[in-house]
Amino acid sequence: MSDDDSSTEQGAVKSSLVGMQKAAASASSDQLNERSIGITVGQGIQTPYPTHQLAGLQELNGTHAVCIEKKAKREVGYGFEIVEHENVDPEDASEDERERVENFWRSRDSIWKLGPKGTARGTPTEMHEKARQDYHGIGWAALEIIYAGYDDEPAGMAYLPAKTVRVKKQRDGDGFVNEQIAGHGFVQKRNGKTRFFAEAGDRQNTDLNGNDDPKYVDRETGEVYTDIETMQADGATPANELLFIPNPHPNTLYYGLPTWISEIQTMIADQEARRFNRERLENDLVMDYVIIVEGGELSEDSREEVREHIKGLREGDGPGALILEADDLADKGIGVEGQNVKIRVEPAAHFGDEDMSFANYREMNEKDIAKVHHVPLQMLGNHDATNSNSEEANREFTQETIQPEQERYAERLYRVIHQQILDVHDWTVDFVTKGAENRRQEAEIGKMTADAVKDVLTVNQALELFGIDPRDDEIGQRLVSEVSSQQTPGAALDEAVSQVEQTAREEKAAERIKRGSTGD
C-alpha cells in the first residue's frame, strides 16, 4: 500500500493496551496499492513457485477455488470468541487482560482493512478469511499489524496479498546479498515500487534478560534500527509489522507450499480438457478436417473460397456430411479444373466416449483435486450420497481437517498477537466450528434418556447411549434399575465425559509440545 502518514481518514485510535485515545493520522497500512505485480523481487528471496500462477489457478479451476473457499469459510468465517486459554484456570483469568484483548479485536476504533488505502474497512473475520484463502491457495498468509508512528501499541491489522510478499534477503552494507539467505523482515514489490515490513512483535522484543530490545525497520530502505533516536536522525520512517504464516513443507525453507501442489498437473490437464471440449463444440464435435478432391484439381485461388463456403454450410443447418458438387462450386464462382469433380469433407479422426473430452476424465480430475484438499465431494454438490453419508463426511471433514487448522491458527495468534504484542497471557481466540458433533450434548441427551427409561433399559443399552463399550458379563444384560450396586447411567456419563475431555486436553498439549517454538 502507498504511504498514508498524512491521512486523516481514520479518526481517533483507541489504545488496545491502556485505553488511551491517540490521534490516528499516522496509523495506516503500508501496503502498495498498484494492482499489477512484478514477477521477481530483487530484495526478496525467490519463492518455490511463481505466486501469480498459483493464484491464477483459482480462476481456471472451479473445484480448486470452491475447495479453498469452503476450507477458509469453515475455519474462520463464522467468527470467534475470546476465551480463557486452556492452560489457565478460569477463576484466575485476568479481567484486565480480557478487556485489553476485547478492545483490540472488538473496539470500534480498531482498524481492520482488506486492502490498501482507499479500500473499504472490513472486520477481523473478513480479514482472517482472506488470509486463510491465501494460506491454502498460495502456501502462506500475511497479516499487516498497523501502528501509528513509533507506538508500540497496535492500532489494528490488515490483510496483505500473500502473492506480493517475499522474505527479505540478508543485507550486506548498503546492498542485499545475492543469495537465498534470509535477512530481517519482509518486502513487498509491485510495479517497481518497494515497501519493507518489520516482523511481528519487533517493537515489543526483549533480550534474554527480559530487557526491552525493540527493532524498527525503515519502510523505504529495509534498514534495521534498534533505537528510535538513530532512526529519527537518519530521517527514516518506521514500517508496520507483518505476521507471516507459512504452511510448512519439506521442499521449502522460508516459505510454505499449499497441500494441493501435488495435483498441479491434474489442474493443468483439466484445463486442457476443457479447452479440448470447447474447441470440439465450436467445430461440431469434429476437431480436424480432411478435404478430398476427386476427379480434378482445386485451383490455388479457390482454396480460401472453399474454406469460406464450408464455413457457411456448417453454420447453416448444423453438423452433417458436407458434399460439394462441381456444379454447386461453379454456381458459387469457385473455379475447378476437370469434370465430375467432387469434394468430400471428412474428419481426420473419430472420438468416442472414452476420450478425454467427455465427462469421465473431468469427473476423475474433480475427485483428485477434492481429495488433495481433504474436502468431501458431498460439499461440492455431489448428490449421489445419502443424507447420512453426507453428514458423516461433513463431520469427519470438520474434525479431521477444519478443527486442527483452527487450533493451529488460534495458537499462532495467541502466541504472537496476544502474548508478545498485547501482553495478554490468559485469553485466546476460539473460532466457531460448524459441522462437528457435540459430544457433550449428545452424552447429556443419553443421560436423560437412560434415567427416564431405566426400568426397561439394560445396562449395555444405557452404556451405548454415551459411547461406552458394553459389558461382556451377565450384568450387561440386566435392567439398569436392577443394578443398584453398579454404576448408574449418570455416573457412567460423568466418567465418560471426563475421559473424553481429558483425552482431548492431552492430545492438544502433545500437539503443542510437538510444535514447540514453531508456533511462534
Side-chain angles (χ1 to χ4, degrees):
M1 286 184 181
S2 58
D3 293 339
D4 191 23
D5 287 351
S6 60
S7 172
T8 59
E9 66 176 13
Q10 303 297 354
V13 176
K14 188 174 183 179
S15 170
S16 61
L17 292 179
V18 295
M20 299 176 61
Q21 295 292 331
K22 290 183 176 292
S26 59
S28 65
S29 171
D30 285 346
Q31 300 176 50
L32 297 170
N33 60 7
E34 284 75 10
R35 175 177 173 80
S36 58
I37 170 177
I39 296 177
T40 60
V41 179
Q43 297 92 337
I45 292 177
Q46 183 178 357
T47 58
Y49 289 83
T51 55
H52 66 288
Q53 293 183 7
L54 295 181
L57 284 173
Q58 296 180 47
E59 298 180 2
L60 299 178
N61 190 283
T63 301
H64 174 54
V66 170
C67 286
I68 291 176
E69 180 183 354
K70 291 283 187 183
K71 292 169 73 174
K73 171 67 72 176
R74 287 180 173 265
E75 287 170 1
V76 299
Y78 297 116
F80 60 89
E81 301 293 335
I82 306 298
V83 299
E84 301 94 343
H85 192 269
E86 63 180 359
N87 294 331
V88 177
D89 189 330
E91 296 182 358
D92 297 333
S94 169
E95 288 301 320
D96 290 339
E97 287 190 0
R98 180 183 178 89
E99 181 179 359
R100 192 152 61 229
V101 76
E102 286 277 5
N103 283 339
F104 177 74
W105 290 112
R106 312 292 193 195
S107 172
R108 61 180 297 178
D109 295 318
S110 294
I111 301 172
W112 304 102
K113 298 284 288 182
L114 305 179
K117 177 183 176 182
T119 58
R121 286 197 180 195
T123 66
T125 295
E126 292 174 321
M127 177 196 70
H128 290 310
E129 188 171 349
K130 289 180 69 67
R132 295 305 294 178
Q133 289 175 352
D134 278 353
Y135 181 86
H136 294 299
I138 305 296
W140 60 88
L143 293 175
E144 181 183 11
I145 304 170
I146 301 174
Y147 291 91
Y150 290 94
D151 286 354
D152 59 1
E153 304 166 1
M157 297 178 69
Y159 160 77
L160 194 149
K163 68 179 183 179
T164 69
V165 178
R166 302 293 186 271
V167 176
K168 192 179 73 175
K169 288 182 180 180
Q170 187 180 57
R171 294 184 68 94
D172 183 12
D174 295 332
F176 290 89
V177 177
N178 189 23
E179 297 178 7
Q180 296 291 301
I181 302 177
H184 187 85
F186 304 91
V187 59
Q188 180 191 37
K189 188 168 183 178
R190 283 178 166 180
N191 251 10
K193 294 184 178 180
T194 303
R195 180 59 39 84
F196 293 92
F197 293 88
E199 297 180 5
D202 271 356
R203 301 190 184 204
Q204 299 81 15
N205 189 52
T206 57
D207 60 22
L208 296 177
N209 297 320
N211 301 317
D212 291 341
D213 186 25
K215 290 185 176 64
Y216 301 90
V217 173
D218 183 5
R219 66 183 183 186
E220 301 297 338
T221 67
E223 185 72 29
V224 179
Y225 294 85
T226 57
D227 63 89
I228 297 176
E229 291 75 15
T230 304
M231 194 172 192
Q232 290 177 330
D234 289 348
T237 304
N240 286 334
E241 297 175 353
L242 206 64
L243 176 58
F244 188 79
I245 307 174
N247 186 7
H249 192 279
N251 287 339
T252 177
L253 180 60
Y254 300 115
Y255 299 98
L257 284 178
T259 56
W260 55 264
I261 201 70
S262 59
E263 292 293 342
I264 191 170
Q265 294 296 333
T266 300
M267 297 183 191
I268 295 173
D270 189 67
Q271 175 64 16
E272 287 300 305
R274 295 170 62 184
R275 180 191 61 80
F276 186 81
N277 285 345
R278 185 169 57 252
E279 291 183 358
R280 287 197 63 189
L281 290 173
E282 291 174 352
N283 291 280
D284 299 331
L285 301 181
V286 178
M287 281 296 295
D288 299 311
Y289 295 103
V290 175
I291 301 177
I292 303 174
V293 180
E294 296 179 343
E297 181 180 351
L298 193 65
S299 63
E300 290 292 337
D301 295 339
S302 300
R303 293 181 183 273
E304 186 61 32
E305 297 179 26
V306 171
R307 293 192 183 96
E308 292 297 324
H309 183 52
I310 294 174
K311 181 179 179 182
L313 291 175
R314 285 185 56 253
E315 294 175 350
D317 298 330
L322 306 180
I323 301 177
L324 309 179
E325 301 290 348
D327 292 343
D328 183 44
L329 294 175
D331 292 341
K332 297 293 182 180
I334 300 175
V336 295
E337 299 176 1
Q339 300 297 322
N340 299 322
V341 174
K342 180 181 292 186
I343 298 177
R344 291 188 294 110
V345 181
E346 297 181 356
H350 297 277
F351 300 91
D353 290 344
E354 70 279 4
D355 291 286
M356 66 180 295
S357 57
F358 292 89
N360 289 343
Y361 181 78
R362 300 209 56 221
E363 182 179 353
M364 180 178 64
N365 288 343
E366 182 182 48
K367 290 181 179 179
D368 288 340
I369 295 169
K371 180 174 65 177
V372 78
H373 273 291
H374 306 290
V375 175
L377 290 174
Q378 290 87 337
M379 297 187 65
L380 302 178
N382 186 336
H383 302 294
D384 295 334
T386 63
N387 289 336
S388 60
N389 289 341
S390 297
E391 292 175 0
E392 181 63 24
N394 185 32
R395 182 179 297 111
E396 291 181 0
F397 172 64
T398 302
Q399 293 178 341
E400 298 178 9
T401 300
I402 298 301
Q403 288 180 328
E405 291 289 356
Q406 287 179 319
E407 293 177 3
R408 282 192 288 268
Y409 187 57
E411 186 69 8
R412 174 86 64 163
L413 295 175
Y414 169 72
R415 295 285 189 92
V416 180
I417 303 298
H418 287 202
Q419 287 190 307
Q420 188 168 357
I421 295 179
L422 298 179
D423 195 26
V424 170
H425 303 274
D426 295 349
W427 301 89
T428 185
V429 295
D430 183 24
F431 290 100
V432 176
T433 302
K434 292 188 178 182
E437 62 181 349
N438 188 325
R439 288 178 289 184
R440 171 172 282 277
Q441 182 179 22
E442 291 185 355
E444 291 288 354
I445 294 174
K447 175 183 178 180
M448 291 185 293
T449 303
D451 288 339
V453 297
K454 59 184 178 181
D455 291 333
V456 296
L457 202 67
T458 67
V459 171
N460 281 344
Q461 288 173 330
L463 295 176
E464 184 180 357
L465 287 175
F466 34 79
I468 298 179
D469 293 336
R471 300 174 64 103
D472 56 4
D473 55 15
E474 60 90 16
I475 294 178
Q477 305 303 320
R478 298 173 64 182
L479 295 177
V480 173
S481 59
E482 296 176 352
V483 191
S484 57
S485 62
Q486 302 297 323
Q487 192 178 40
T488 65
L493 166 68
D494 293 336
E495 178 182 336
V497 172
S498 177
Q499 291 174 353
V500 168
E501 292 179 341
Q502 178 63 25
T503 300
R505 286 193 294 269
E506 291 175 354
E507 290 176 351
K508 287 183 179 180
E511 181 180 356
R512 289 189 171 92
I513 292 172
K514 183 178 180 180
R515 287 199 305 266
S517 61
T518 59
D520 296 331

